[in-house]
Amino acid sequence: MLKHLYIKNFTLIDELDISLYEGFSVITGETGAGKSIILGAIALLLGQRADSKTIKQGADKCVIEAHFDLSRYGMETFFTDNDIEYDADDCIIRRELTAAGKSRAFINDTPVALSMLKELGDQLMDVHSQHQNLLLNKQDFQMEVVDIIADDATQLANYQQIYTAYQATEKELAELIAAIERNRDSRDFLQFQYEELFNAQLIKGEQEELEQRSDTMEHAEDIKSALYTTDNALSAEQNGVIESLRSSLSALHSIENVYPGVIDLIQRIDSSYIDLKDIAHEISDMLESVDFNPAELDQVNSRLDRIYELEKKYHVDSVEALIEKRDNLQQQLQAIENGDESLDEIKSRLKQQEAQAHKEAEKLTKLRIKAAKKIEEEMQQRLIPLGMPHVRFSIQLSATELGINGADRVSFLFSANTSTPLQPVSQVASGGEIARVMLSLKAMISGAVKLPTIIFDEIDTGVSGKTAEMMAQIMKEMGGHGRQVISITHLPQIAALGSVHYKVEKNETANGTTSKMRQLDTDERVREIAQMLSGSDVSEAAIQNAKELLKK
């Protein structure tokens, strides 16, 4: 329930700070006084996109803030799921707009995306403006009304889960058929590519190994020359490092008994002597292994040329990528061979899912048929007192192909008198009749969805007198049981039934036009309703009439 509304620097509003209450409240004011501005501010709180032009001229920032009491509505899950602090007694929604075009939204001082603000707003408030009467034209709205009364959310969710899987399988089948057709058209080419890569007998890592062998053989003379020079330096009988170290060790051993200081040197030189002998042996082995074989080099380079050719052809840069390409081609060829088998499997699965979807859709239809009868009866009861004694209201459920909402098509049929056949409500009902139909629908579904706050923006268009009074009674009843209903109205019959009465006024000041809203006391209510009855010249008779209306 909306407890408090604060608006600052929004179009004609300098500052609005007002409390609101549960039950049935009314807002009145002359045309152009600013009632639509207040609704525009509330729309921003509910997630509507902002326009910096709505900021009051000369102001840097606009702030709209609302406080809600959620204690009766069990909405804690939304806050837990979105990691937002939960305060059942005082939920604060705030929207800030800057003249630079920036917009920020907050729930309990936590910055949130506009989509989250809208998600919460849809659970807090329903603003019914005149253009919403056009919803009667829309199949989705009519289906939603039936589903709300049917209380079929669980069954609808079960059906939609199965239908979604059915759609996914349909897509899978279509893609497989298309793939098989494409692959069959190019089967010979795929087979050629696969055989080319298969016959290449590719081995992981061979490219790097071959490139190394090629480099070695092409530089064989340089390699052998360097190895020979090193081998000669280490192992030559005259002046070789190893022979010189051996002589040094022999000389030092001869003095170690008389000069112990060389023992450590002997050990270190001996270690180096052993290492160098090992190095000399390795170099000697390398000298024997390095040999220039033109035939082998041609063979290696020929193999590399083939690898490079394949890599260029298939737009890859490694043998591993060529192997992956070969394996993919093999899979495509196997898929072509096994295509009919896969098709049969998917078709069988699709048939099962379709049968299951039809079964769940039938359950949904039964719930809707039962709900449709209930709606027809209740709408008849609600519309007759609203000045339509011969009204007929019927819901036509017809079968359709499976869709996301089942296999039903809903059409609301209406006739205001016995001589006119039932036709779609949007085609035959007048503006005033549509207003009464929508009010009756809203009254019916408001109890089912337990929406905290409903705002009616001039839903009384096209009605007057006793009918207006009956519409007011309906809204007053809707405002019971802890709910909050607010009606923006031009009719005194409706204004008089509000538990709380607000007035929107426009004032001309030195700084320009401003719009304000205030709560009226008893005397002010009498005068406001009297003015609605008689116009700007309020007569004593109008005042007495106003008092009588308020007594009701």
Side-chain angles (χ1 to χ4, degrees), residues 371-386:
K373 291 179 180 177
K374 181 180 178 181
I375 294 169
E376 288 172 349
E377 292 171 2
E378 188 167 337
M379 287 296 288
Q380 196 86 359
Q381 293 170 5
R382 289 182 177 277
L383 289 171
I384 288 174
L386 292 177

Side-chain angles (χ1 to χ4, degrees), residues 384-396:
I384 288 174
L386 292 177
M388 290 187 278
H390 305 296
V391 69
R392 286 178 294 155
F393 186 90
S394 177
I395 296 178
Q396 184 181 74

Side-chain angles (χ1 to χ4, degrees), residues 34 109 129 204 287 290 316 351 355 422 436 453 492 518 529:
D109 287 329
S129 57
K204 288 182 179 180
L287 269 169
V290 175
V316 296
K351 188 175 180 180
L422 284 165
R436 282 172 274 178
T453 299
R518 61 188 179 87
I529 292 171

Side-chain angles (χ1 to χ4, degrees), residues 189-388:
F189 180 60
L190 294 173
Q191 186 68 39
F192 168 77
Q193 288 186 314
Y194 170 72
E195 289 177 359
E196 182 177 48
L197 291 174
F198 178 80
N199 293 333
Q201 297 295 303
L202 299 163
I203 301 170
K204 288 182 179 180
E206 71 168 314
Q207 181 176 341
E208 292 78 7
E209 182 183 344
L210 290 169
E211 287 172 342
Q212 182 60 56
R213 285 173 63 190
S214 176
D215 283 346
T216 298
M217 283 188 285
E218 286 179 352
H219 297 85
E221 291 302 321
D222 294 335
I223 293 169
K224 291 191 74 168
S225 176
L227 290 173
Y228 178 80
T229 300
T230 305
D231 181 62
N232 190 56
L234 292 173
S235 304
E237 292 184 6
Q238 299 293 329
N239 300 321
V241 172
I242 293 173
E243 181 60 27
S244 297
L245 283 176
R246 192 190 66 74
S247 298
S248 299
L249 282 170
S250 178
L252 291 173
H253 276 302
S254 67
I255 63 170
E256 63 181 327
N257 291 330
V258 296
Y259 190 54
V262 300
I263 292 175
D264 181 59
L265 294 174
I266 290 171
Q267 291 174 347
R268 289 164 64 188
I269 293 172
D270 189 50
S271 176
S272 299
Y273 176 72
I274 293 169
D275 286 344
L276 287 172
K277 283 183 70 177
D278 286 343
I279 290 170
H281 282 304
E282 287 185 29
I283 289 175
S284 179
D285 290 341
M286 286 181 181
L287 269 169
E288 291 181 9
S289 66
V290 175
D291 192 17
F292 176 68
N293 185 334
E296 184 182 356
L297 179 59
D298 287 343
Q299 186 179 2
V300 168
N301 284 339
S302 176
R303 179 61 174 171
L304 282 172
D305 288 343
R306 179 58 177 156
I307 290 172
Y308 295 151
E309 178 187 357
L310 290 172
E311 287 176 349
K312 183 178 180 181
K313 180 176 181 178
Y314 291 101
H315 307 290
V316 296
D317 58 5
S318 68
V319 169
E320 286 71 23
L322 287 172
I323 292 172
E324 183 180 357
K325 175 69 175 177
R326 178 198 67 197
D327 294 344
N328 287 338
L329 288 166
Q330 185 180 29
Q331 290 174 9
Q332 289 181 60
L333 290 166
Q334 287 174 347
I336 294 172
E337 294 298 324
N338 301 329
D340 291 339
E341 183 180 332
S342 298
L343 276 177
D344 290 341
E345 186 276 323
I346 294 176
K347 285 178 180 178
S348 175
R349 175 156 42 100
L350 185 67
K351 188 175 180 180
Q352 291 175 0
Q353 288 174 333
E354 185 179 16
Q356 192 176 6
H358 276 294
K359 184 178 179 181
E360 296 302 317
E362 286 172 9
K363 294 179 184 178
L364 203 54
T365 299
K366 288 179 181 178
L367 292 173
R368 286 169 173 166
I369 290 172
K370 185 178 178 181
K373 291 179 180 177
K374 181 180 178 181
I375 294 169
E376 288 172 349
E377 292 171 2
E378 188 167 337
M379 287 296 288
Q380 196 86 359
Q381 293 170 5
R382 289 182 177 277
L383 289 171
I384 288 174
L386 292 177
M388 290 187 278

